[in-house]
Every structure is written in structure tokens, then in C-alpha cells.
Amino acid sequence: MTALYEPVTHCRICGGESFLPVVDLGTTPLANALVDPERVGEPELAFPLAAIRCVSCGLVQLSVVVHPEIMFRHYLYSSSASQPLLAHFDAYAEEVTARYASPGSLVVEVGSNDGVLLAPFARRQVRVLGIEPSTNIAAIANRAGLETWSEFFEPHVARRAVRERGEAAAVVANNVLAHIHDLGGVLEALDVLLAPAGVFVAEVPYLADLLAQTEFDTIYHEHLSYFALRPLKRLLEQGGLELFDVRHLPVHGGSIRIFAGRPGRHQPTPELAVALAAEDAAGLDRGDVYAEFAERVVASRDALVTLLSELRAAGKSVAALGATAKGNTLLNYCGVRSDLIAFVADTTALKHGRLTPGMHIPIRPERAILDERPDYTLLLAWNYAATIIPRFAAYIGAGGRFIHPMPIARIVGP
Ligand code: JHZ
Ligand code: ZN
């Protein structure tokens, strides 16, 4: 790919060429392209942001693919900045180690970020290798002693891993399949890397939750695909893997963790059959389900803009919490600028001092909420509401209130 972006003409799973519209969120900057205040006058890259649905396999996907080098070589999202993920990944490593690995066996992680999951595997005496294209984030993991190659996950990288480290008992991939255009290449690399009884474990945000909860803000350029089980199953089968288990998890607004292996190696579980039946019943192949979703997206935007405008008119101060990727879809699609939100607080040091893309709201350390005590705080990291709100009991006790934007903006009481 030489251009900055390309339109999607063929479905990345089935090759189909006919698509139905899902939702159009306009033209927005890249969700993690935070702006250096000194460069604020310079033009920002912006790309069309719309989701479409493949008529033949049902995969919901973006209508364009932005060049991955632009989005992922330098990255500002660091998984370890979100405290609740530490427990999530510790339990994850425990389960995968107990079921599929043993001390000394190799676990490879695709899109390993700063090593947040490699670390709990390493603590269990499993040999680990991270594959993470972002050079600055891979460096954090390497500094912590978690070997990480700054590469995209491609067959030649898998071959090198087998040569140097041997075959993998498990390959794990969290919130990364949605980011990869060449899924055939991923399956090819898995075939090279997995031991005969090896398992592929992946977590992806679940399309059924996105639709049911109107989580339109999780649509941004990094997320090329919005997976349901049926298209995923088909993709895995095309690549010589069999889906044999699935778990539905609340993380990131609703995700599925899928387990796949070489055909016949692992007994398909009853949970998989139940989940497939539930998905079939959810009507993900029905046009009216998507049309109603698109209507709720507009209503959600209008409700947020109305609420923030009313608060401004009433002289209230408003900040936000979580300089999230999804927050940038929300802010840009709704046109929420610094006249409505004074600042965004976030725990990630790499994000501090920068401005949100497009809307140019300053990002500050998380304690700014306690120091400034805005009357209202919009939860852009609403997926962590259950842990954030209790942590801010003192803020709420002093009269501060949170606004939860999903599925429709509402003030959360104490
Ligand atoms: P969070 C990320 O999206 C990145 P984002 C990525 N694109 C992806 O695929 C999805 O996850 C699934 C901060 N924070 O996890 C830390 C607080 O300030 O919702 C993070 O910057 N206080 C790969 O960016 C952000 O909020 C807190 O208490 O939409 C959370 O980002 C907590 C818990 C987090 O994902
Ligand atoms: Zn398709």
C-alpha cells in the first residue's frame, strides 16, 4: 500500500464485492494521533469513517484502510495505564497456562503492547515473545525484560520465531485482529508458528454488544473489522483452524475471547454451540437491526450535544476522563470542542500535554479532576465506569458528577 489510505473493494474475509451501509460518522482524524500544541496550526490527516457490511459473509468493516505504518509505528496507547486490565490479563495468563502451556513452553503474543500480558505469563515460567509493531511501545516491554520484536505479524516473522524460539504452545492476540487488514496473512503465520496441538486465543470487541449498546464510538480507523462469531469461524476455517471455544467478557464494552486449534485437536465446547445459536438469534444478518442502530447513533449524538450545551449555558464547568481512542470518535462526530470540555484527564504519561485530535482539547494527568473539581466529568473511558466512579468518591462527595455517554448521555448520580 503506497497511498495514505485505500477504499475497501473486497471483503477481507470472503472476497465479496458487495456491501451494505451500516453507519457514516463523517471524516475524522486518527483516534490516537494526539496533537503536539506547538504544531496546532498544521493540517491534520483526516479520513472517511464509515462502517459497511459484507453481503455474503456478514463481516462489518470500515469502508477504508489507512496505511498501518501511519497508525501503529508510533503509538500512544499503553495497556498498563488502565489498572483494571492488570487483573484481567493476570487471570487470562492463568487460564491459558493452566489449559495449554507448561513451564518452559512458548507463548507468543501478537500486538503485545507494553507487555501487560507477557509479564503474567513470564511470572508463570512460560517463555514469552511479543510481536508489536509500535517501536516506542515495544521498547517499554524490552526494557522490562520481555522480549518483543517491533514487527507486524506476518509469515516471515513467524518463520523467524520458529527458527529462533521453536513452535508455540499458544499464540494470543488481544484487540489486534480488528486492526489487521491482511487476515489471510495472519492465518498463514499462525499455521507456521503453532505447534500441532497449539491454540490460538484472541479477544475482540463483539459486534453484538456494539450494536445492542450503541457503542458507535468504538468505530475508528484502527478498527478495520467488527467481528461476530460467524465471520470469524469462517475466517479461521479458511486458514486451517477450527474454532472450538468462546467466552463472552465485559471488557471494552463487551468482547469475545475465542479459542481455535488445528481441526480435530480440541473438542468443540457446548458453550460455543450456545453462543453461535444466540448470535444467530440476535439478527446480525438483518438490515433493520443496522438501520435502527444508525438511528440510535444520531439520537445519542444529539443527546450528548444538547446536554453539554445546556450545562455550558447554565455556567457549569465540564471536563472529561480518559483520552481514549473511542473518545476521539465521540468528540469529533459530535463536534465537542474545548468550549464544551475544558480538558481531558488520563493516567497515560505519554498523552499528557498533548491535544485531542481534531477537537484540540488539552490532555492532563488524571489528578486534574481532583485539583480542578469540574462540576461534571464526561466519561470517555465509560468501559471502566464501574472502577472509575468508586475511585472518585471524594469528587462525587464534593458535588462532582459523571456523565456516561453510552448508549445515550446521562448524568450518573452518587
Ligand atoms: P481504553 C484501546 O482503545 C486501544 P481506547 C485499542 N485501539 C483498542 O483496540 C481498544 O482499546 C480495545 C485512561 N484511564 O482502554 C487510560 C484513566 O485515565 O478505554 C487510557 O488512556 N483512568 C488498541 O483508547 C484510557 O483511559 C482510569 O481509571 O478507547 C482507557 O482506554 C482508567 C481505567 C483508564 O481504550
Ligand atoms: Zn465477506
Side-chain angles (χ1 to χ4, degrees):
M1 192 189 269
T2 48
L4 294 181
Y5 80 101
E6 283 179 359
V8 167
T9 52
H10 295 73
C11 170
R12 71 176 56 84
I13 289 185
C14 76
E17 296 175 35
S18 117
F19 298 95
L20 292 166
V22 172
V23 70
D24 187 345
L25 301 173
T27 296
T28 70
L30 298 175
N32 274 307
L34 305 184
V35 177
D36 180 341
E38 287 176 8
R39 307 186 67 171
V40 85
E42 300 174 20
E44 281 172 85
L45 291 177
F47 302 93
L49 184 62
I52 55 178
R53 179 165 58 102
C54 172
V55 169
S56 50
C57 79
L59 180 69
V60 173
Q61 50 205 294
L62 283 196
S63 65
V64 301
V65 177
V66 177
H67 201 299
E69 293 281 342
I70 303 173
M71 294 195 286
F72 302 120
R73 272 301 177 196
H74 185 85
Y75 208 44
L76 294 172
Y77 172 78
S78 152
S79 310
S80 295
S82 292
Q83 185 73 23
L85 286 183
L86 303 182
H88 173 77
F89 284 127
D90 193 60
Y92 188 146
E94 178 62 34
E95 180 189 13
V96 172
T97 307
R99 282 172 73 172
Y100 306 112
S102 44
S105 54
L106 176 68
V107 172
V108 177
E109 186 180 6
V110 182
S112 50
N113 198 270
D114 57 13
V116 69
L117 176 57
L118 295 176
F121 273 117
R123 283 201 295 275
R124 288 168 173 82
Q125 317 308 321
V126 171
R127 291 188 297 127
V128 296
L129 174 64
I131 311 287
E132 168 53 57
S134 165
T135 44
N136 63 310
I137 297 288
I140 299 173
N142 280 313
R143 278 199 295 274
L146 300 161
E147 186 177 344
T148 301
W149 296 352
S150 181
E151 298 277 9
F152 289 97
F153 185 61
E154 290 165 358
H156 73 95
V157 177
R159 281 192 285 276
R160 181 182 154 208
V162 172
R163 264 197 321 272
E164 295 185 15
R165 309 292 299 275
E167 291 179 330
V171 176
V172 295
N174 301 295
N175 292 309
V176 69
L177 281 189
H179 301 60
I180 301 177
H181 179 46
D182 180 12
L183 293 176
V186 169
L187 268 297
E188 207 184 307
L190 286 171
D191 190 43
V192 170
L193 187 51
L194 281 176
V199 289
F200 174 54
V201 188
E203 266 179 34
V204 291
Y206 190 34
L207 176 67
D209 293 313
L210 189 166
L211 295 172
Q213 304 302 320
T214 321
E215 296 164 352
F216 69 89
D217 55 346
T218 63
I219 300 173
Y220 45 90
H221 298 99
E222 290 178 18
H223 290 171
L224 301 174
S225 306
Y226 301 83
F227 289 109
L229 281 171
R230 288 285 173 200
L232 260 177
K233 188 168 181 293
R234 175 172 178 156
L235 168 74
L236 292 164
E237 279 163 10
Q238 284 173 187
L241 289 181
E242 181 182 27
L243 178 65
F244 67 86
D245 197 8
V246 64
R247 187 96 21 94
H248 192 191
L249 303 161
V251 67
H252 289 300
S255 299
I256 44 174
R257 182 183 296 169
I258 56 144
F259 298 78
R262 300 193 193 275
R265 283 280 181 169
H266 304 269
Q267 183 68 26
T269 62
E271 289 79 5
L272 175 62
V274 169
L276 284 168
E279 181 171 300
D280 293 341
L284 301 188
D285 55 348
R286 286 208 334 254
D288 58 311
V289 167
Y290 293 90
E292 286 166 19
F293 166 75
E295 280 171 22
R296 293 198 304 278
V297 170
V298 173
S300 181
R301 174 188 65 186
D302 293 348
L304 179 65
V305 172
T306 301
L307 175 60
L308 294 177
S309 306
E310 284 171 4
L311 292 175
R312 181 181 54 186
K316 302 293 184 189
S317 54
V318 185
L321 182 53
T324 53
K326 59 184 155 304
N328 289 321
T329 290
L330 188 74
L331 297 173
N332 280 284
Y333 174 64
C334 298
V336 173
R337 299 174 182 278
S338 55
D339 57 331
L340 292 173
I341 302 274
F343 62 89
V344 184
D346 193 283
T347 47
T348 316
L350 287 170
K351 297 182 180 178
H352 298 158
R354 299 187 182 240
L355 307 172
T356 66
M359 297 293 101
H360 296 172
I361 304 176
I363 303 171
R364 301 177 53 181
E366 209 197 34
R367 64 165 190 280
I369 299 288
L370 298 173
D371 295 345
E372 309 260 333
R373 290 193 187 275
D375 296 316
Y376 293 87
T377 298
L378 175 64
L379 270 176
L380 295 177
W382 49 261
N383 45 318
Y384 295 118
T387 53
I388 291 175
I389 291 173
R391 254 185 340 101
F392 281 84
Y395 165 69
I396 294 170
R401 290 290 174 268
F402 282 102
I403 300 169
H404 194 306
M406 290 294 144
I408 197 131
R410 62 185 194 281
I411 294 165
V412 185

